[in-house]
């Protein structure tokens, strides 16, 4: 029988057929097997042979004794699933079919059978997807000890109500010792994704290690870094693998949430200087999503990324699954998107608005002045901050909105940008830079104004401002008077060149195929060429990730640079899979992202991260 199956399959493969034989042939083979006493491995081959017709699995289970079905599931998993030589796309849902078949046969199972099924489910890695009702049936029949073992499977079961589960846990806790109870409850919690049920369990377990682990699991699922507390208390040694697992997951979420690229300029002061822990060696680029996008960075928030379609509609992408939603009700976007907490800020030609991730409007402020338009949009302290060309500043959060107008005595004819520093607001006006104090994210007292003939760009970090003019770069520590501004004279125009604020005292500037570091000290500034692309390909984008640099060139080459003896050295180099008229870099939420007008790539770390202790 086994030989005939293998021969038939081999012939079909040689004839170019990738699929299995038709259903009639499969049924005939199953009927023949019921007439012969097969060994377990023969049944496994038959399952492999008939997997495109899953409903026929039940006939196989019905043809052999109960104990043999248990052995069959174990043999199938441990012998056939790990095998790569078969190169057959085996089903991973054999257990759910087995459960369904035994409950179809009888509603009453012996204690011995219940125990064997429980142990099988606890030991197997095969999926139980599609067997929710059968799992619930089993859970209602077994004793308290077996219920405890099955807990991790039924926490996501739609047939098990929270009322039933909590009352069951209460009776189990009385019946079974604390150590055994804690072990299986913790084992279940660390793999549970049911947030609603976890909240009810948190109220049920009002203290101790169980409540701590439940609360940490809730924080992981809701990305609540603020209330995240790693488990450091004394606990039983047998809980250590689960505690290590949940602590590791929490640390990973903390790392993801520490480096969200929430606006085109990472830290809201026009400095592409990220805390994302990029590694020296990375994996090959993978396509996260394909579509039609405008040329811009992917803005990265909690679990989601945002970009604009070519029609300037807002597009939201799940960073885990790659699933994309175009929010057609959010269109004609002229500025943004930016992320703040779980909300998305955008500006159109007549309003500034804040939406949730589903596209529901939370707050909006309308532009009422003739010719008024939004020129700058920044996230800061749970709010989006928008500046119009007429000097009106808007603050929007989930619950309220507020506007501020630059006082008439300081007001200029037009404005182009606002920067939000630790202790200051900096307004870029026509031919001038104005500084106001910042108090609780509101504009406070006027500090100082400097006049300049041209202002190409303003960048910053902490409370240090860099002003790019057509002929020079000015470094201004906003905490002291402008008399102490340090000037660097430019030899070339760097109006559109990629610039990174490396530290409060150094800038990184890409100039054609070279990267130049400009160093400011107390009274003067110098420069040094720290990298030159060997093939003389012009650098089009560069960002700094926790001490390393991600770089793109004009012919879509990507490489990573690290500091070595006051220079930058290549650690990784990749070629992107398509040509584009321009790529943009961003990072955060555990990955690096490269966006073109057709494709969004994701690049993940390959090895342990490199931490630069000198990051500002």
């Amino acid at each position: 029988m086994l030989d005939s199956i293998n021969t038939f399959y081999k012939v079909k493969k040689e004839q170019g057929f990738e699929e299995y034989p038709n259903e009639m042939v499969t049924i005939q083979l199953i009927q023949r097997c019921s007439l012969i006493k097969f060994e377990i491995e023969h049944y496994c081959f038959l399952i492999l042979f008939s997997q495109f017709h899953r409903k026929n699995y039940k006939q196989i289970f019905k043809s052999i004794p109960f104990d043999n079905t248990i052995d069959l599931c174990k043999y199938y998993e441990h012998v056939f699933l790990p095998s790569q030589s078969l190169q057959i796309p085996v089903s991973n849902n054999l257990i759910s079919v087995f459960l369904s078949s035994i409950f179809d046969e009888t509603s009453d199972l012996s204690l011995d059978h219940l125990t064997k099924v429980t142990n099988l489910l606890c030991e197997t890695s095969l999926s139980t997807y599609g067997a929710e009702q059968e799992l619930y049936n089993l859970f209602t029949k077994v004793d308290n000890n077996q219920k405890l073992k099955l807990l991790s499977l039924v926490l996501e079961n739609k047939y098990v109500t929270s009322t039933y589960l909590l009352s069951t846990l209460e009776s189990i806790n009385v019946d079974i010792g604390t150590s055994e109870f804690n072990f299986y409850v913790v084992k279940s919690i660390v793999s549970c994704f049911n947030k609603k049920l976890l909240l009810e369990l948190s109220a049920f377990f009002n203290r101790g290690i169980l409540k701590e682990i439940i609360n940490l699991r809730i924080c992981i699922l809701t990305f609540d870094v603020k209330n995240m507390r790693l488990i450091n208390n004394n606990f039983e040694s047998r809980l250590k693998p689960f505690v290590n697992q949940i602590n590791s997951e929490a640390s990973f979420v903390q790392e993801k949430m520490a480096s969200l690229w929430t606006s085109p300029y990472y830290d809201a002061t026009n400095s592409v200087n990220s805390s994302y822990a990029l590694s020296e060696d990375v994996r090959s680029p993978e396509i996260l999503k394909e579509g039609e996008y405008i040329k811009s960075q992917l803005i990265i928030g909690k679990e989601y990324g945002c970009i604009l379609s070519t029609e300037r509609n807002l597009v939201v992408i799940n960073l885990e699954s790659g699933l994309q939603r175009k929010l057609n009700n959010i269109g004609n976007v002229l500025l943004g998107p930016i992320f703040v907490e779980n909300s998305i800020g955008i500006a159109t030609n007549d309003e500034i608005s804040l939406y949730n991730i589903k596209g529901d409007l939370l707050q909006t402020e309308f532009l009422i002045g003739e010719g008024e338009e939004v020129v700058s949009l920044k996230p800061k302290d749970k709010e989006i901050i928008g500046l119009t060309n007429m000097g009106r500043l808007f603050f929007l959060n989930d619950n309220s909105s507020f506007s501020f107008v630059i006082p008439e005595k300081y007001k200029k004819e037009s404005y182009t940008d606002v920067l939000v520093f630790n202790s200051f607001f900096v307004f870029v006006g026509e031919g001038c830079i104005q500084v106001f104090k910042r108090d609780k994210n509101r504009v406070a007292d006027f500090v100082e104004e400097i006049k300049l003939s041209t202002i190409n760009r303003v960048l910053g970090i902490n409370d240090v401002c860099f002003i790019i003019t057509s002929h020079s770069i000015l470094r201004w520590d906003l905490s002291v008077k402008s008399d102490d501004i340090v000037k660097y004279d430019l030899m070339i125009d760097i109006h559109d060149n990629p610039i990174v604020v490396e530290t409060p005292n150094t800038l990184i500037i890409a100039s054609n195929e070279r990267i130049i570091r400009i160093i400011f000290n107390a009274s003067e500034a110098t420069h040094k060429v720290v990298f030159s692309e060997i093939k003389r390909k012009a650098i089009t984008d560069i960002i700094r990730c926790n001490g390393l640099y991600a770089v793109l060139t004009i012919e879509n080459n990507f490489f990573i640079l690290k500091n070595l003896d006051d220079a930058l050295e290549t650690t990784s180099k990749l070629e992107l899979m398509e040509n584009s008229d321009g790529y943009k870099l961003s990072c955060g939420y555990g990955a690096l992202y490269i966006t073109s007008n057709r494709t969004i790539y994701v690049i993940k770390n390959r090895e342990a991260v490199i931490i630069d202790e000198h990051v500002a």
Side-chain angles (χ1 to χ4, degrees):
M1 180 64 171
L2 182 58
D3 291 338
S4 66
I5 292 175
N6 288 334
T7 302
F8 188 92
Y9 182 66
K10 182 179 179 182
V11 170
K12 287 294 181 183
K13 288 284 286 185
E14 290 173 351
Q15 292 174 352
F17 291 97
E18 293 295 329
E19 294 193 0
Y20 292 87
N22 63 44
E23 187 169 1
M24 183 60 70
V25 175
T26 304
I27 292 172
Q28 288 174 352
L29 289 168
I30 292 171
Q31 289 171 344
R32 287 180 61 190
C33 86
S34 65
L35 302 176
I36 309 169
K37 188 177 180 180
F38 267 12
E39 298 295 332
I40 293 298
E41 64 174 304
H42 296 146
Y43 284 109
C44 284
F45 272 108
L46 190 58
I47 286 172
L48 288 172
F49 188 68
S50 64
Q51 64 183 292
F52 280 161
H53 313 297
R54 267 189 61 238
K55 63 184 180 181
N56 295 325
Y57 288 0
K58 286 189 179 181
Q59 295 189 42
I60 298 174
F61 287 127
K62 291 175 183 177
S63 67
I64 57 178
F66 180 87
D67 285 353
N68 291 111
T69 61
I70 297 289
D71 294 334
L72 171 58
C73 291
K74 292 179 179 179
Y75 191 91
Y76 177 80
E77 177 180 7
H78 295 297
V79 176
F80 286 88
L81 283 187
S83 175
Q84 300 300 315
S85 60
L86 291 173
Q87 296 183 342
I88 298 173
V90 293
S91 167
N92 67 346
N93 206 22
L94 184 68
I95 291 288
S96 62
V97 182
F98 164 63
L99 284 175
S100 179
S101 67
I102 62 174
F103 281 106
D104 280 353
E105 285 292 299
T106 177
S107 59
D108 295 318
L109 292 175
S110 68
L111 180 61
D112 179 56
H113 285 179
L114 287 172
T115 302
K116 288 178 178 178
V117 174
T118 301
N119 291 336
L120 173 67
L121 291 173
C122 293
E123 294 168 5
T124 185
S125 60
L126 292 170
S127 171
T128 56
Y129 175 77
E132 291 91 348
Q133 180 66 61
E134 288 79 7
L135 273 172
Y136 175 65
N137 290 339
L138 180 64
F139 192 70
T140 58
K141 296 176 186 298
V142 296
D143 62 30
N144 279 344
N145 185 62
Q146 292 167 330
K147 279 188 173 75
L148 201 54
K149 290 182 178 180
L150 291 174
L151 188 60
S152 60
L153 292 173
V154 300
L155 279 182
E156 304 292 329
N157 191 305
K158 63 184 179 183
Y159 297 100
V160 181
T161 64
S162 58
T163 303
Y164 174 77
L165 186 61
L166 293 176
S167 64
T168 302
L169 283 174
E170 192 167 3
S171 65
I172 294 174
N173 195 17
V174 172
D175 190 41
I176 296 175
T178 301
S179 177
E180 195 76 1
F181 181 83
N182 285 356
F183 176 81
Y184 283 105
V185 172
V186 169
K187 179 184 177 182
S188 305
I189 290 168
V190 297
S191 58
C192 180
F193 289 87
N194 190 329
K195 288 180 278 190
K196 182 176 181 296
L197 182 56
L198 285 170
L199 287 169
E200 295 185 38
L201 287 173
S202 178
F204 179 78
F205 298 107
N206 55 15
R207 56 188 168 77
I209 185 69
L210 294 181
K211 187 174 181 69
E212 290 181 33
I213 292 178
I214 292 168
N215 289 344
L216 182 56
R217 184 62 182 165
I218 293 170
C219 288
I220 289 171
L221 296 177
T222 57
F223 302 96
D224 184 2
V225 177
K226 183 178 179 181
N227 294 309
M228 200 172 277
R229 303 288 183 270
L230 299 186
I231 309 300
N232 296 315
N233 296 335
N234 294 328
F235 49 83
E236 291 183 78
S237 59
R238 65 190 307 212
L239 297 182
K240 186 174 182 180
F242 307 124
V243 173
N244 288 345
Q245 176 187 333
I246 198 168
N247 278 344
S248 177
E249 289 181 16
S251 298
F252 186 54
V253 169
Q254 287 174 330
E255 290 175 8
K256 280 185 172 183
M257 298 302 294
S259 57
L260 300 180
W261 195 279
T262 55
S263 76
Y265 301 103
Y266 174 83
D267 60 5
T269 51
N270 292 22
S271 166
V272 285
N273 190 347
S274 164
S275 58
Y276 169 59
L278 181 67
S279 68
E280 294 183 10
D281 188 22
V282 293
R283 301 178 191 174
S284 298
E286 299 174 9
I287 294 177
L288 175 68
K289 196 65 186 174
E290 292 180 304
E292 295 183 352
Y293 313 107
I294 67 167
K295 181 182 175 183
S296 69
Q297 292 169 323
L298 181 69
I299 305 304
I300 298 165
K302 189 188 302 183
E303 198 176 3
Y304 293 93
C306 278
I307 198 169
L308 297 182
S309 69
T310 49
E311 300 89 5
R312 305 199 75 84
N313 289 104
L314 186 64
V315 176
V316 177
I317 301 172
N318 187 306
L319 298 176
E320 301 284 357
S321 65
L323 293 176
Q324 172 178 295
R325 286 186 297 117
K326 183 189 288 187
L327 303 180
N328 291 318
N329 62 312
I330 308 177
N332 300 315
V333 178
L334 299 182
L335 209 58
I338 62 174
F339 264 114
V340 54
E341 291 292 298
N342 296 320
S343 306
I344 305 166
I346 59 99
T348 65
N349 58 358
D350 57 3
E351 65 183 50
I352 297 177
S353 301
L354 191 66
Y355 294 86
N356 65 19
I357 204 72
K358 296 178 181 178
D360 301 322
L361 181 64
L362 302 175
Q363 298 291 337
T364 189
E365 285 279 356
F366 293 98
L367 308 183
I368 56 176
E370 183 178 352
E372 187 174 25
E373 62 183 47
V374 181
V375 294
S376 184
L377 206 60
K378 303 288 169 64
K380 194 70 174 179
D381 294 349
K382 300 183 180 181
E383 292 185 317
I384 62 167
I385 301 172
L387 176 70
T388 74
N389 57 333
M390 295 183 176
R392 279 210 299 162
L393 198 63
F394 295 97
F395 301 82
L396 286 78
N397 58 48
D398 289 356
N399 302 311
S400 63
S401 61
F402 170 80
S403 64
F404 166 84
V405 180
I406 294 176
E408 201 63 38
K409 62 185 292 188
Y410 304 118
K411 193 174 181 181
K412 300 302 176 184
E413 185 172 335
S414 67
Y415 289 87
T416 59
D417 200 3
V418 61
L419 288 85
V420 188
F421 290 85
N422 289 350
S423 307
F424 303 94
F425 283 100
V426 168
F427 295 91
V428 183
E430 186 178 6
C432 73
I433 300 289
Q434 294 178 322
V435 182
F436 288 78
K437 287 186 178 179
R438 175 172 170 255
D439 183 20
K440 297 179 180 177
N441 213 32
R442 295 293 182 262
V443 180
D445 297 338
F446 175 78
V447 177
E448 190 174 358
E449 175 183 314
I450 61 171
K451 298 184 182 297
L452 298 163
S453 57
T454 60
I455 302 173
N456 291 345
R457 218 185 320 179
V458 181
L459 308 102
I461 189 170
N462 300 340
D463 277 332
V464 175
C465 182
F466 294 93
I467 305 163
I468 317 296
T469 73
S470 56
H471 303 293
S472 62
I473 301 176
L474 308 177
R475 180 193 179 277
W476 183 7
D477 185 342
L478 299 175
S479 62
V480 298
K481 290 292 184 181
S482 59
D483 296 342
D484 294 322
I485 286 179
V486 179
K487 180 180 178 183
Y488 173 82
D489 292 322
L490 288 169
M491 305 293 183
I492 56 172
D493 183 10
I494 59 169
H495 186 274
D496 295 320
N497 293 47
I499 301 177
V500 176
V501 181
E502 187 179 44
T503 72
N505 295 309
T506 57
L507 292 179
I508 288 289
I509 300 176
S511 175
N512 294 320
E513 75 279 6
R514 299 183 303 166
I515 294 178
I516 300 168
R517 177 178 284 131
I518 299 176
I519 305 105
F520 293 86
N521 57 35
S523 58
E524 63 178 4
T526 58
H527 76 269
K528 181 178 181 180
V529 177
V530 291
F531 178 79
S532 184
E533 214 286 318
I534 297 175
K535 296 182 179 179
R536 304 185 65 83
K537 295 177 181 178
I539 294 167
T540 57
D541 201 15
I542 179 171
I543 61 174
R544 187 170 188 259
C545 305
N546 205 34
L548 299 177
Y549 295 85
V551 179
L552 287 172
T553 69
I554 199 168
E555 293 186 11
N556 304 323
N557 285 325
F558 165 80
F559 45 91
I560 295 172
L561 305 176
K562 72 171 182 178
N563 278 299
L564 186 67
D565 298 330
D566 292 329
L568 297 179
E569 179 184 82
T570 304
T571 65
S572 290
K573 190 168 185 178
L574 303 168
E575 287 192 15
L576 300 180
M577 291 171 273
E578 62 165 325
N579 289 321
S580 172
D581 60 359
Y583 284 100
K584 299 294 289 181
L585 287 160
S586 58
C587 62
Y589 197 71
L592 186 78
Y593 297 89
I594 302 177
T595 307
S596 74
N597 54 2
R598 294 188 297 272
T599 308
I600 299 174
Y601 295 99
V602 58
I603 299 178
K604 297 183 178 180
N605 290 338
R606 188 190 300 277
E607 297 179 347
V609 297
I610 304 300
I611 303 298
D612 184 350
E613 297 178 354
H614 304 292
V615 175

